[in-house]
């Protein structure tokens, strides 16, 4: 391997400028998100290499792998949040509903409405509970009855009964688990097609975790969920497909590069892993 | 590589035990120096009052207060005179200062806050940005008289271009003071914006908000208390400035109120300065009264800043 980090030749970007508003006209493709030969750099450090993965519609896909292998990075590529990080670059191709979304001139703002994100640390707005849910819908030009939307979103996030009498209280007055469900409700209120969740339960107690997991199972009827988790049991419990990312051992450079070790149905991956490193990781021998 | 053994941890015990308390003592002494000077000052005032003639016992205190209040009201209501201290006052200066305050707020705050928002939220980090950043930080420390000279050349004389020169007008003073407080406002705005957690921006962006929606919907409201406090402190700096106003030609003696931004004007600190230099002893009292009025204005503004900072909660 050469010592200098590889400079990617950007492949010619196809002239697909706009993400179409909705994909209701076409029959639903069973693959909602797919990426091919994805590579991501932070500055000159290659963080992800050769990621090719197909996320199936209306299923829960779990991303597992040791710390620093690029799970969050991959998640942020899907809704282009990585573009906010200085020095982050990517190359390869990501398609969402068949449309290329990895090009430089796609409409990231509307993409992020269609691919929502729930963060590791609950981050409600310092606004009332009601406005936490309503804000996203409002800025996206929602014209319907806001009260109905807020109630529906909070109900779907299994939070309504706990907050229905204090909708005008600050979202920051809730407990951590309630805050995380509020963040989920906020994401649901803008009607995304995919929800990306980055360790949504890592700050929660087992009871809140169980509630969020139940919630995800319920949500998958209407949404596609991609969840990053460090909890093997959680991945087994909730997900249909599991992708195991690993650190690239062959990388001789000073930084660590993540690769996709295995991607298969969850029960298969956990009972009969094809990849040695995956097996070692899920049985707790590395990582 | 060898594993650290217990003996490797021997060093630094003395430091750890004593350096902390010593540092604490030094800091405490530094704090006390200010307190001691203040105590001496107050003590000497009280001593002077107590050593006065015995026909001035404490029960005359309220009479003195109303006397002082009467003096201040007279000073605030009468215009200038450089010959008779009993009819001299600060009306023109107070009105001039209020004009300055209002117009500096209108000019300086929007420009300063906008520049802070641009640098913090829009500008890409890089050489140019850090160059500008360094210069703003330096400008905040430039002596005010330098701004006066700048204002004289730029606004009053416009480098000799008669057509655009403003002369010693209120507007020239406003622009000079705005320049003076601009770095302060830009820096405090940036400080306040930096204190807004990144997770808040990410949450909003993740919902499909445009940059403007993120800034106007979350970042600015969160940063508003900090921005307002900094802004008010900047304004109170502007209202107390004398030197730059002398440079850009605030009039020493003026008997009528300014009629508009292009009219001649004077300001309270400038008038205080003029009175204090007059030989007649009676004018010393007038100048002292003017200082009280100025201090009252400054304290009011700082009190407003504190109230805003404490009242404005995180929840909006
Ligand atoms: N903002 C950033 N700037 C530079 N490098 C980054 C940045 N974010 C992540 N990285 C690097 O990219 C690699 C992958 O990071 P990432 O956060 O995606 O890992 P992760 O799999 O989510 O880890 P964890 O399980 O600990 O959350 C790491 O080596 C990290 O140092
Ligand atoms: Mg992560």
């Amino acid at each position: 391997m050469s010592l200098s980090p590889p400079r990617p030749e950007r492949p010619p970007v196809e002239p697909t400028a706009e993400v179409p508003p909705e994909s209701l006209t076409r029959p639903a493709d069973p693959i909602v998100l797919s990426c091919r030969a994805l590579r991501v750099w932070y500055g000159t450090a290659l963080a992800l290499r050769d990621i090719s993965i197909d996320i199936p519609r209306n299923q829960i896909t779990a991303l597992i792998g040791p710390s620093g292998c690029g799970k969050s990075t991959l998640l942020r590529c899907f809704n282009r949040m990585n573009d906010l990080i200085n020095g982050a670059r990517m190359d390869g191709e990501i398609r969402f509903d068949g449309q290329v979304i990895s090009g430089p001139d796609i409409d990231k703002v509307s993409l992020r409405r269609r691919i929502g994100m729930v963060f590791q640390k609950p981050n409600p707005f310092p606004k009332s509970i009601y406005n936490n849910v309503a804000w996203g819908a409002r800025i996206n030009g929602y014209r319907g009855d806001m009260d109905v939307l807020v109630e529906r979103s909070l109900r779907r996030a299994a939070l309504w009964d706990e907050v229905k009498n204090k909708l005008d209280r600050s979202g920051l007055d809730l407990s951590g688990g309630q805050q995380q469900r509020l963040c989920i409700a906020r994401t649901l209120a803008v009607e995304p097609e995919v929800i990306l969740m980055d360790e949504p339960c890592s700050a929660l107690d087992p009871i809140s975790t169980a509630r969020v997991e139940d919630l995800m199972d319920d949500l998958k009827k209407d949404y596609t969920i991609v969840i990053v988790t460090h909890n093997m049991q959680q991945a087994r419990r909730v997900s249909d497909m599991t992708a195991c990312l690993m650190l690239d051992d062959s990388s001789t450079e000073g930084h660590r590069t993540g690769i996709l070790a295995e991607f298969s149905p969850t029960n298969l991956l956990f009972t009969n892993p094809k990849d040695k490193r995956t097996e070692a990781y899920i049985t707790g021998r590395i990582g | 590589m060898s594993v650290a053994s217990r003996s490797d941890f021997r060093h630094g015990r003395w430091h750890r035990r004593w350096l902390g308390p010593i540092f604490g003592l030094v800091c405490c002494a530094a704090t006390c120096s200010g307190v001691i000077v203040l105590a001496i000052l107050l003590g000497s005032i009280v001593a002077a009052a107590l050593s006065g003639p015995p026909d001035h016992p404490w029960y005359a205190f309220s009479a003195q207060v109303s006397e002082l209040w009467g003096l201040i009201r007279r000073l605030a209501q009468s215009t200038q005179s450089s010959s008779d201290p009993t009819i001299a006052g600060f009306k023109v200066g107070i009105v001039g200062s209020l004009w300055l305050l209002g117009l500096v707020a209108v000019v300086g705050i929007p420009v300063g806050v906008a520049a802070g928002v641009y640098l913090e939220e829009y500008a890409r980090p890089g050489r140019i940005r850090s160059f500008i950043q360094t210069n703003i930080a330096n400008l905040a420390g430039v002596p005010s008289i330098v701004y006066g000279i700048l204002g004289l050349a730029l606004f009053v004389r416009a480098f000799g271009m008669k057509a655009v020169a403003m002369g010693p007008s209120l507007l020239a003073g406003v622009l000079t003071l705005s320049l003076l407080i601009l770095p302060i406002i830009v820096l405090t705005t940036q400080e306040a914006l930096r204190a807004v957690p990144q997770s808040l921006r990410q949450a909003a962006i993740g919902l499909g908000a445009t940059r403007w929606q993120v800034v106007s919907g979350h970042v600015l409201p969160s940063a508003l208390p900090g921005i307002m406090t900094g802004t008010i402190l900047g304004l109170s700096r502007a209202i107390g400035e004398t030197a730059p106003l002398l440079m850009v030609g605030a009039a020493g003696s003026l008997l009528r109120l300014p009629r508009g931004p292009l009219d001649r004007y004077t300001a309270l600190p400038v008038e205080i300065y003029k009175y204090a230099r007059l030989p007649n002893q009676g004018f010393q009292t007038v100048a002292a009264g003017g200082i009280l009025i100025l201090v009252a204005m400054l304290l009011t503004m700082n009190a407003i800043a504190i109230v805003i900072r404490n009242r404005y909660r995180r929840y909006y």
Side-chain angles (χ1 to χ4, degrees), chain A residues 42 47 65-74 76 85-86 120 198-199 228 230 256:
Chain A
Y42 289 111
S67 189
C69 68
K71 304 179 295 295
S72 304
T73 302
L74 178 58
R76 285 197 300 262
I85 296 172
N86 248 304
Q120 178 170 358
D198 195 349
E199 300 179 44
V228 170
H230 278 294
R256 315 203 294 170

Side-chain angles (χ1 to χ4, degrees), chain A:
Chain A
M1 280 226 132
S2 77
L3 284 175
S4 64
R7 289 274 166 190
E9 296 283 358
R10 273 194 181 281
V13 179
E14 288 158 57
T16 49
E18 291 292 310
V19 180
E22 296 295 339
S23 54
L24 296 174
T25 46
R26 273 175 287 123
D29 188 339
I31 301 302
V32 61
L33 275 167
S34 77
C35 63
R36 290 286 169 271
L38 181 73
R39 286 188 291 178
V40 183
W41 286 261
Y42 289 111
T44 55
L46 185 62
L48 275 180
R49 185 165 66 79
D50 298 339
I51 306 291
S52 297
I53 193 170
D54 288 327
I55 308 284
R57 191 182 296 277
N58 290 3
Q59 298 200 2
I60 300 180
T61 302
L63 297 181
I64 60 172
S67 189
C69 68
K71 304 179 295 295
S72 304
T73 302
L74 178 58
L75 216 54
R76 285 197 300 262
C77 286
F78 288 141
N79 67 349
R80 299 295 294 266
M81 291 282 272
N82 251 5
D83 293 30
L84 305 173
I85 296 172
N86 248 304
R89 283 178 303 134
M90 70 172 169
D91 133 7
E93 188 184 80
I94 304 179
R95 284 176 183 267
F96 173 43
D97 271 345
Q99 299 286 315
V100 176
I101 56 163
S102 48
D105 42 39
I106 64 128
D107 180 359
K108 292 171 206 162
V109 168
S110 61
L111 176 74
R112 290 182 191 130
R113 184 190 71 70
R114 297 177 62 195
I115 304 183
M117 189 157 195
V118 177
F119 298 83
Q120 178 170 358
K121 222 176 110 225
N123 56 352
F125 298 129
K127 291 177 182 290
S128 67
I129 293 170
Y130 183 95
N131 280 327
N132 255 285
V133 182
W135 191 78
R138 205 176 287 138
I139 58 149
N140 280 298
Y142 177 70
R143 300 199 163 274
D145 188 337
M146 192 60 86
D147 292 351
V148 172
L149 178 74
V150 169
E151 177 172 344
R152 190 178 65 213
S153 306
L154 285 169
R155 274 192 197 284
R156 293 226 67 176
L159 188 62
W160 175 253
D161 290 329
E162 288 157 70
V163 300
K164 64 184 173 200
N165 293 322
K166 49 177 185 178
L167 288 176
D168 54 345
R169 294 267 297 280
S170 169
L172 296 169
D173 292 347
L174 298 175
S175 77
Q178 290 173 327
Q179 286 187 11
Q180 193 63 298
R181 276 177 283 147
L182 180 62
C183 293
I184 294 173
R186 174 177 77 184
T187 307
L188 296 179
V190 300
E191 294 292 344
E193 290 152 58
V194 179
I195 304 176
L196 309 172
M197 296 182 163
D198 195 349
E199 300 179 44
C201 301
S202 65
L204 306 187
D205 73 295
I207 296 168
S208 308
T209 302
R211 302 202 65 161
V212 172
E213 286 178 7
D214 287 348
L215 181 62
M216 282 166 38
D217 208 52
D218 182 44
L219 290 176
K220 90 181 185 190
K221 290 197 292 285
D222 303 310
Y223 305 89
T224 304
I225 297 178
V226 184
I227 177 176
V228 170
T229 177
H230 278 294
N231 185 330
M232 299 299 140
Q233 280 73 41
Q234 180 171 57
R236 275 186 101 147
R237 279 194 302 265
V238 299
S239 71
D240 304 298
M241 296 291 289
T242 300
C244 185
L245 300 187
M246 277 291 149
L247 289 165
D248 184 7
D249 310 320
S250 63
S251 165
T252 51
E253 288 140 55
H255 53 266
R256 315 203 294 170
T257 300
I259 49 169
L260 180 64
E262 186 165 353
F263 179 48
S264 40
T266 300
N267 49 8
L268 229 70
L269 186 132
F270 278 98
T271 52
N272 188 13
K274 286 192 287 283
D275 189 279
K276 280 269 177 342
R277 291 162 302 177
T278 309
E279 185 179 3
Y281 182 70
I282 59 178
T283 52
R285 273 180 280 131
I286 59 164

Side-chain angles (χ1 to χ4, degrees), chain B residues 46-117:
Chain B
V46 172
L50 288 179
S51 65
D55 58 336
H56 263 243
W58 283 110
Y59 59 76
F61 187 65
S62 65
Q64 285 175 349
V65 166
S66 65
E67 197 179 310
L68 181 65
W69 181 237
L71 170 73
I72 299 243
R73 278 183 49 178
R74 199 201 78 210
L75 287 178
Q77 279 165 4
S78 46
T79 49
Q80 278 190 336
S81 161
S82 53
S83 54
D84 186 358
T86 59
I87 60 162
F90 294 98
K91 187 177 176 190
V92 185
I94 292 172
V95 173
S97 280
L98 291 177
W99 267 98
L100 284 174
L101 186 67
L103 290 178
V104 167
V106 169
V107 176
I109 294 177
V111 177
V113 171
V117 169

